[in-house]
Amino acid sequence: SLVFCGPVGTGKTHIARCILWSIAHTFEDELIAPVGKFFNAADLLLKLSPVKNDWGLGEVPRPSTFIGTVPIVVIDDIGSQQSIPYIGTDQELQLTEIQARYFRVVDYCYQWRISLIVTSNLSLAQLATHLGPRNWDRLCEMAPAGAMIDLTGVPSWRQKKSGR
């Protein structure tokens, strides 16, 4: 597993997608699709929202239904989503719910030994706080220190490309 942290424009998403596509299914020497799953963090949090069943009760989707047994999962841009609709405006409640939803995915990947690639505009310390101790502890085991890459100080390639 890998963690990429740093400012916008440093290539975190590009690197994560390249890794995902480098491990791709081929059929008769033709590239078909990556063998893993790519999720934008905001979309993933919504995907983990309770859904009403036939009896009107809220069922929480299980990660196994949308991740399955792929060998690699990418969660892009953790920390960009600071709130979840319908949870309320209390920041502590929001963070608790965000951490609980991420836990479902991080723990699923941890238990099934699925590699996890995480990108974030937050620093490593901010990401640890945002994810909470349960998620961070598992992520630290999955992605040891050398696999947590801080791109702080790397200039934006978009600004460089545009000449600004």
Side-chain angles (χ1 to χ4, degrees):
S1 295
L2 295 166
V3 176
F4 294 101
C5 288
V8 296
T10 55
K12 300 176 299 292
T13 301
H14 181 77
I15 293 167
R17 282 191 181 275
C18 286
I19 292 168
L20 185 63
W21 276 95
S22 70
I23 308 167
H25 280 299
T26 56
F27 181 73
E28 296 180 4
D29 295 326
E30 209 171 303
L31 186 64
I32 303 297
V35 295
K37 302 278 177 121
F38 183 95
F39 298 100
N40 175 281
D43 294 339
L44 180 64
L45 290 174
L46 291 177
K47 188 178 276 294
L48 290 163
S49 295
V51 178
K52 288 189 179 182
N53 61 19
D54 295 337
W55 301 281
L57 302 173
E59 290 184 19
V60 178
R62 298 179 190 271
S64 59
T65 60
F66 56 88
I67 293 175
T69 58
V70 298
I72 189 167
V73 169
V74 175
I75 305 175
D76 185 44
D77 222 3
I78 287 183
S80 63
Q81 183 76 10
Q82 298 297 328
S83 64
I84 301 172
Y86 313 112
I87 301 297
T89 58
D90 183 279
Q91 293 297 321
E92 190 172 321
L93 181 62
Q94 282 283 340
L95 186 58
T96 300
E97 182 63 24
I98 287 170
Q99 291 172 352
R101 291 185 188 194
Y102 280 135
F103 182 75
R104 290 185 217 133
V105 174
V106 171
D107 189 58
Y108 180 80
C109 292
Y110 178 80
Q111 296 295 331
W112 288 97
R113 299 196 182 281
I114 296 170
S115 294
L116 189 58
I117 298 176
V118 169
T119 72
S120 179
N121 293 341
L122 303 174
S123 69
L124 288 172
Q126 290 170 324
L127 182 61
T129 301
H130 183 74
L131 289 175
R134 292 188 314 158
N135 290 318
W136 189 249
D137 189 60
R138 283 166 178 76
L139 197 54
C140 284
E141 183 179 341
M142 295 167 71
M148 294 196 175
I149 301 157
D150 186 359
L151 298 171
T152 302
V154 174
S156 168
W157 68 269
R158 289 186 194 104
Q159 289 179 4
K160 185 176 180 180
K161 183 178 169 185
S162 69
R164 294 183 194 144

